[in-house]
Amino acid sequence: ATRTARDAALALAASAAVLVSAGPAAARLEGVNNPQMLPPGPPVEVLDVAGYLTKGEVSRLTTEVRNLEKDTGIKLRVLAQAYPNTPGLAVKDYWSVDDDTVVFVADPGLGNILNFSVGANVDLEVPPSFWTRLASKYGTKFYWQENGEEASISNAVSAIDSCFREDSGRNKCAKIQAEFGEEPSSGKFGKKFFGQ
């Protein structure tokens, strides 16, 4: 099933909120909209309001994301946040989110650090199982506590980059980078863990 722009906006709102357990019932998701947290000037592709990434890593990821968009037409945008300190829904207009956009929200407070809002055109091209497997590989609490938020974010961006560059078809994005028997991630952390 494809996601409409409304569904993508709802997914983005959910990723900018925390679900707090209150016994048998759970609190409602509370969306955030803080445009004042956005940097002045032209939009940046990688926005780290939580300080998880070094300046050099933000620069490297920005280059990777820009090259991906230039080569494939798919816009990947990265928001590293620590709820409730987030621009939240304000990124939708800031980044001109459309059906060719994936918004990747990295927030360890949401349980799994990797959260995605996938545009309808991307959803048609990339199987939904890819996002689940990616989050299961690099987004678990065990992974990011052991390796750091930067490793989770960097390796996820590298895996997304590789996926989007694959030829269309049944096997597109069938593997997540650096799994057993695959080439290591092109990110610096994938190289570190696999000795390259």
Side-chain angles (χ1 to χ4, degrees):
T2 63
R3 292 184 186 176
T4 64
R6 181 179 174 274
D7 292 335
L10 289 174
L12 182 58
S15 67
V18 174
L19 182 62
V20 179
S21 177
R28 293 183 186 263
L29 291 174
E30 186 178 327
V32 174
N33 188 10
N34 291 325
Q36 67 275 12
M37 290 192 72
L38 297 170
V44 296
E45 293 84 353
V46 178
L47 184 56
D48 181 12
V49 298
Y52 299 136
L53 303 169
T54 64
K55 204 175 202 180
E57 191 61 10
V58 168
S59 177
R60 189 193 72 75
L61 291 174
T62 298
T63 298
E64 186 169 4
V65 166
R66 285 179 180 165
N67 287 338
L68 177 67
E69 184 174 356
K70 183 181 71 161
D71 296 345
T72 68
I74 297 172
K75 295 190 303 186
L76 174 62
R77 301 297 182 257
V78 180
L79 170 61
Q81 68 177 32
Y83 182 87
N85 297 322
T86 174
L89 290 172
V91 299
K92 185 177 181 212
D93 291 332
Y94 176 74
W95 281 327
S96 301
V97 173
D98 59 19
D99 290 341
D100 295 317
T101 306
V102 173
V103 177
F104 165 18
V105 178
D107 187 337
L110 298 176
N112 190 305
I113 193 173
L114 307 183
N115 303 278
F116 307 97
S117 176
V118 180
N121 293 337
V122 179
D123 202 30
L124 291 172
E125 189 70 25
V126 176
S129 62
F130 170 78
W131 306 107
T132 303
R133 289 181 289 111
L134 180 58
S136 295
K137 181 165 187 67
Y138 294 127
T140 64
K141 187 174 183 178
F142 173 78
Y143 184 87
W144 63 260
Q145 282 185 337
E146 186 76 19
N147 301 293
E149 294 90 351
E150 184 175 62
S152 290
I153 296 165
S154 297
N155 281 321
V157 168
S158 291
I160 293 167
D161 188 343
S162 291
C163 164
F164 288 175
R165 292 175 185 281
E166 291 179 13
D167 293 332
S168 295
R170 283 177 37 114
N171 292 323
K172 182 176 180 90
C173 306
K175 297 177 182 174
I176 304 296
Q177 280 186 315
E179 286 183 353
F180 183 73
E182 292 182 45
E183 292 297 316
S185 167
S186 62
K188 69 179 182 180
F189 293 102
K191 293 175 184 172
K192 174 183 161 193
F193 294 125
F194 293 93
Q196 296 186 347

